[in-house]
C-alpha cells in the first residue's frame, strides 16, 4: 500500500520514500514523521509499504517497490504531483531498495514507463553489495543464497536514473556501512554522485535529519530535487 501526502501549494517534486527495517521489520508508518516537513517544502510525499521476509523473498520485495513506482508514475498527477519529477529515497533496507529502483529497466517491466522514471536517488545508509550479509544473523529471515545476493545487489547493475545520486551516511555508522556507501559511489561513476557524512548521526538518528527543514541533509535533498 501507499500513503500520499500532497504538497502545500504547487509541488516541486514527488518523493517516493521506502522505509528500512532489514527487510523484515517495520512499515511505512515508521517514517510518517517526514510528512510535515516534506509537505511544507512543496514536496509530494509517497510512503511505500512492502511485504516482509521471511513471508516473501527479497526478489518479491524489489518487484513490489517497482510496482509502486510504476503506479506513482501513472497516478500521481491526480494528487498534484508531476510524474516527470519522481525521486526515490529510503533508509537502511529502503536505501538498498532505492538503489535498485535507480537501476531498474522500466520499459522492460512496462513499455508505457520511461527509462528515466527515477530522476534522482537518495539511498541513506544502505547496503549495496549483499554478499557480506550471507553469514550474518540478518540472513536468518532474508534467506539469501549467493545467486539471490548477487541478483539483488545494486553494484552489479548499471544506473538508469536520469539525474543525480546523493548517498548520505551517518558519521557514527559502522565501518561496513561507510564502505558500502563508497562502493556504490565507485561502482556508478557514470552518474553524478555525492557522498555526504552526517556528523553525530547513527543508523537510526540520521533519518531525523531528513525531517528537519534546517538540516544539512534536508538541504542537500532539496538541492538534488531542484
Amino acid at each position: 500500500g501507499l500513503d500520499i501526502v500532497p504538497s502545500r501549494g504547487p509541488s516541486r517534486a514527488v518523493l517516493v520514500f521506502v522505509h528500512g527495517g532489514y527487510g523484515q521489520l517495520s512499515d511505512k508508518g515508521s517514517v510518517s514523521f517526514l510528512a510535515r516537513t516534506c509537505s511544507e517544502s512543496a514536496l509530494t510525499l509517497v510512503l511505500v509499504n512492502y511485504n516482509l521476509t521471511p513471508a516473501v523473498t527479497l526478489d518479491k520485495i524489489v518487484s513490489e517497490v517497482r510496482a509502486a513506482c510504476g503506479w506513482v508514475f501513472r497516478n500521481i498527477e491526480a494528487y498534484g504531483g508531476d510524474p516527470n519529477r519522481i525521486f526515490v529515497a529510503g533508509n537502511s533496507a529502503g536505501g538498498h531498495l532505492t538503489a535498485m529502483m535507480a537501476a531498474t529497466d522500466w520499459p522492460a517491466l512496462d513499455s508505457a514507463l520511461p527509462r528515466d522514471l527515477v530522476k534522482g536517488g537518495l539511498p541513506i545508509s544502505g547496503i549495496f553489495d549483499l554478499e557480506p550479509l550471507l553469514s550474518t544473523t540478518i540472513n536468518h529471515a532474508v534467506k539469501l543464497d549467493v545467486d539471490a545476493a548477487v541478483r539483488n545487489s545494486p553494484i552489479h547493475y548499471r544506473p538508469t536514473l536520469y539525474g543525480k545520486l546523493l548517498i548520505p551516511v551517518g558519521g557514527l555508522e559502522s565501518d561496513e556501512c561507510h564502505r558500502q556507501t563508497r562502493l556504490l559511489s565507485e561502482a556508478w561513476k557514470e552518474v553524478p554522485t555525492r557522498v555526504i557524512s552526517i556528523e553525530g548521526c547513527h543508523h537510526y538518528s540520521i533519518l531525523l535529519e531528513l525531517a528537519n527543514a534546517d538540516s544539512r541533509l534536508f538541504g542537500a535533498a532539496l538541492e538534488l530535487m531542484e
Side-chain angles (χ1 to χ4, degrees):
L2 303 171
D3 286 345
I4 300 171
V5 184
S7 67
R8 291 192 186 173
S11 174
R12 75 165 88 188
V14 177
L15 182 62
V16 177
F17 195 91
V18 189
H19 72 80
Y22 302 100
Q24 54 195 284
L25 303 164
S26 200
D27 63 18
K28 58 182 167 41
S30 66
V31 289
S32 60
F33 62 87
L34 298 172
R36 181 175 178 177
T37 303
C38 288
S39 178
E40 290 179 350
S41 301
L43 299 176
T44 304
L45 179 66
V46 181
L47 302 178
V48 176
N49 247 18
Y50 49 87
N51 286 300
L52 303 174
T53 63
V56 300
T57 63
L58 185 56
D59 293 282
K60 180 71 166 66
I61 291 173
V62 170
S63 71
E64 288 180 2
V65 179
R66 284 173 171 157
C69 289
W71 187 94
V72 170
F73 177 80
R74 289 187 290 267
N75 295 280
I76 201 64
E77 209 162 3
Y79 300 87
D82 183 349
N84 297 308
R85 299 274 303 144
I86 295 173
F87 297 79
V88 181
N91 67 304
S92 192
H96 161 260
L97 291 164
T98 295
M100 289 296 285
M101 296 308 105
T104 294
D105 184 352
W106 298 103
L109 295 180
D110 180 344
S111 60
L113 298 177
R115 177 174 169 78
D116 62 349
L117 187 150
V118 176
K119 297 303 192 292
L122 184 68
I124 303 167
S125 303
I127 300 295
F128 310 112
D129 172 15
L130 301 189
E131 287 189 76
L133 293 183
L134 292 174
S135 59
T136 70
T137 55
I138 292 171
N139 202 36
H140 293 171
V142 184
K143 300 187 187 309
L144 294 171
D145 58 21
V146 173
D147 286 346
V150 171
R151 190 168 61 245
N152 288 288
S153 290
I155 62 162
H156 297 308
Y157 295 88
R158 303 313 335 132
T160 60
L161 82 167
Y162 177 76
K164 298 177 182 177
L165 194 72
L166 174 68
I167 319 177
V169 62
L172 303 179
E173 299 262 21
S174 67
D175 290 344
E176 174 63 9
C177 200
H178 282 271
R179 186 187 75 83
Q180 291 270 350
T181 297
R182 291 193 302 272
L183 201 59
L184 186 64
S185 176
E186 290 161 4
W188 285 8
K189 289 192 180 299
E190 59 263 61
V191 296
T193 301
R194 180 185 174 199
V195 172
I196 58 170
S197 178
I198 307 300
E199 297 311 311
C201 289
H202 53 64
H203 198 67
Y204 303 101
S205 63
I206 188 171
L207 204 53
L208 299 176
E209 293 296 293
L210 197 61
N212 175 6
D214 298 321
S215 73
R216 178 179 174 223
L217 177 55
F218 191 77
L222 285 185
E223 189 179 315
L224 174 78
M225 291 181 276
E226 285 302 332

